[in-house]
Amino acid sequence: MANRIELIFDFVSPNAYFIWWPLRDLVKRTGAELDVTPVFLGGMHKLTGNAPPMIRDADVKGKVEYSMLEIQRFITKHQLNKYRMHPQFPFNSITLQRMLFAADQDGRGVQFVEGVLPAIWEHGIDITDPDALGAALTAAGFDAKDLFARSQADEVKQGLVANTDHAVARGAFGIPTMFVGPKDGETQMFFGKERLSQVEEELAVG
């Protein structure tokens, strides 16, 4: 399917929150298919030598400050006024990502992201509190105990590793990365929340 967007995704990145709602609007507007591919951003950084922007750019005069300005502009443009920096950031997302992988196996990856993102990046739930996370999952329509149990299975753990390795092999190095094009055909890669207009142009061409 030519009008397909694959989003390489990890909850730990604020940019995963920033791009989600504008991307969902784009999908509704264009009729594109949206697939979520769970990866582990920490593993991706190790494989590529990348690092979070605040660390990578810390010694570049003015760059972090400008990045914050651009973030605020993006928030204002897309009316993402519910966003709050998570108090535990950067948190360990490995269990969340494994649960997302399990949900995606059931064809419910998009629903999982849609239900959990606000709990993390708007309400700041304690990621280390199983009860808080379980309540968020239940509210989103999931069996929290089942997903947690499945997240501990070797199949799921290795599946997330394989997703991460494969994304890097295709050129991904950070979040958010999008591949536009058919599932089993040639795709175009776009990195960054600022590339949404280019994604829409690619969909029009496809």
Side-chain angles (χ1 to χ4, degrees):
M1 187 174 185
N3 62 332
R4 172 181 176 268
I5 304 170
E6 177 189 1
L7 177 64
I8 306 299
F9 186 91
D10 188 329
F11 281 103
V12 73
S13 172
N15 284 317
Y17 174 87
F18 292 141
I19 199 170
W20 183 256
W21 311 109
L23 181 60
R24 292 289 277 149
D25 288 341
L26 186 156
V27 165
K28 292 175 183 176
R29 187 168 63 251
T30 63
E33 176 187 355
L34 176 62
D35 287 336
V36 172
T37 296
V39 299
F40 184 50
L41 182 57
M44 183 180 288
H45 281 174
K46 287 182 179 179
L47 290 170
T48 61
N50 198 5
M54 298 305 176
I55 296 174
R56 186 185 64 233
D57 300 331
D59 295 330
V60 182
K61 182 176 175 57
K63 192 169 184 181
V64 171
E65 290 80 4
Y66 181 76
S67 294
M68 297 303 295
L69 175 61
E70 283 295 298
I71 287 172
Q72 188 55 54
R73 286 172 174 166
F74 192 88
I75 288 172
T76 300
K77 177 179 179 180
H78 296 285
Q79 299 180 335
L80 302 173
N81 302 317
K82 296 180 181 178
Y83 166 77
R84 300 290 183 271
M85 174 55 75
H86 196 280
Q88 294 170 306
F89 179 79
F91 49 82
N92 188 333
S93 63
I94 190 72
T95 299
L96 267 173
Q97 292 304 109
R98 289 170 178 168
M99 287 193 288
L100 172 57
F101 183 93
D104 193 53
Q105 285 185 311
D106 300 334
R108 301 178 71 194
V110 170
Q111 182 182 344
F112 188 96
V113 171
E114 194 115 298
V116 177
L117 265 182
I120 296 174
W121 291 108
E122 294 175 10
H123 305 297
I125 65 166
D126 185 349
I127 300 299
T128 65
D129 183 348
D131 291 335
L133 184 56
L137 290 171
T138 299
F142 290 92
D143 184 330
K145 290 183 178 180
D146 174 67
L147 281 182
F148 181 77
R150 291 169 63 190
S151 75
Q152 305 306 302
D154 287 342
E155 175 190 359
V156 169
K157 292 179 179 179
Q158 293 306 313
L160 184 63
V161 170
N163 272 7
T164 304
D165 290 345
H166 185 51
V168 169
R170 296 163 69 195
F173 51 85
I175 303 294
T177 298
M178 292 159 284
F179 291 96
V180 181
K183 187 170 186 177
D184 298 317
E186 183 178 351
T187 59
Q188 294 294 322
M189 188 182 98
F190 299 87
F191 172 74
K193 60 186 180 296
E194 301 84 3
R195 304 293 175 261
L196 285 170
S197 61
Q198 294 179 12
V199 169
E200 189 159 5
E201 290 170 1
E202 182 64 24
L203 289 171
V205 171

